[in-house]
Amino acid sequence: RIKMTNIMTQFPKRQEPKVGPFVQWTEDAESVEMKLPIPPGLTKHDLKAVFTPVSLSITTRAEGKELLAVKPLAARIVSDETTWYLNKDIMTITLAKMPGVGMSEADQYWGTSLASSASGTHFTCYLTPEKASDLLGEEAIPPGEGLVLDTGYTGTYSTAMITSAVAAILVVLVAIFAYVFGGDD
């Protein structure tokens, strides 16, 4: 018989649709990578990036204009290992996640938002998600478009997400079938 424990931890966590004022980020178990379009003409010397274990802040030095701010983050980061660079008008930020959060690698994933769901959270971006996508050359999916499943979530689901979910369901069904119809060990 097949043991059912930890069967889902054998598969990588999917990238969930992002929510909030800034959605141009991806993650793996060790880091979060963001791409933030910045106002044209600014150089790295014009930007101030501050990272703490629980927050991030990107502002312009001259006016102190807030470009992106998140406090508190969805989980702690290693601020000394967080990096950023500027390529033309795109700032790429890599947040190093604090290792050892949770019991498994899956616990390292932040989910749908950069920000914590705690009350008093400050999460702002000077661009709308649609404008940021446009500046990054990404195809923005209008709200309400795409597949909407009856899960209480009203965003969109990508083909990759649906494929991952179907694959996970099939694995569980095969395991159940083997358990029910398999012989004694």
Side-chain angles (χ1 to χ4, degrees), residues 162-174:
I162 294 168
T163 303
S164 294
V166 169
I169 290 168
L170 287 174
V171 167
V172 171
L173 289 174
V174 167

Side-chain angles (χ1 to χ4, degrees), residues 82-128:
T82 291
T83 61
W84 68 275
Y85 65 90
L86 196 57
N87 184 8
K88 298 182 182 175
D89 294 334
I90 306 296
M91 182 180 195
T92 301
I93 305 162
T94 303
L95 303 175
K97 292 181 177 180
M98 181 75 67
V101 176
M103 299 296 289
S104 70
E105 185 176 303
D107 294 331
Q108 290 290 108
Y109 288 85
W110 293 8
T112 61
S113 179
L114 282 173
S116 166
S117 60
S119 64
T121 296
H122 178 70
F123 185 11
T124 61
C125 182
Y126 82 109
L127 295 170
T128 65

Side-chain angles (χ1 to χ4, degrees), residues 26-154:
T26 59
E27 67 174 332
D28 60 28
E30 298 170 351
S31 65
V32 170
E33 183 176 282
M34 298 179 239
K35 297 214 181 282
L36 175 67
I38 61 164
L42 293 181
T43 68
K44 66 179 182 179
H45 303 291
D46 299 320
L47 299 172
K48 180 179 178 183
V50 178
F51 306 101
T52 73
V54 295
S55 68
L56 72 85
S57 173
I58 310 299
T59 58
T60 59
R61 287 191 187 275
E63 305 92 25
K65 179 181 177 183
E66 193 172 69
L67 303 179
L68 179 64
V70 185
K71 181 178 182 178
L73 290 163
R76 295 178 70 80
I77 62 170
V78 182
S79 51
D80 293 344
E81 295 177 15
T82 291
T83 61
W84 68 275
Y85 65 90
L86 196 57
N87 184 8
K88 298 182 182 175
D89 294 334
I90 306 296
M91 182 180 195
T92 301
I93 305 162
T94 303
L95 303 175
K97 292 181 177 180
M98 181 75 67
V101 176
M103 299 296 289
S104 70
E105 185 176 303
D107 294 331
Q108 290 290 108
Y109 288 85
W110 293 8
T112 61
S113 179
L114 282 173
S116 166
S117 60
S119 64
T121 296
H122 178 70
F123 185 11
T124 61
C125 182
Y126 82 109
L127 295 170
T128 65
E130 295 79 17
K131 182 65 175 173
S133 290
D134 184 48
L135 291 171
L136 290 169
E138 298 174 350
E139 184 177 334
I141 299 173
E145 300 262 333
L147 177 62
V148 179
L149 302 177
D150 187 20
T151 61
Y153 177 74
T154 57

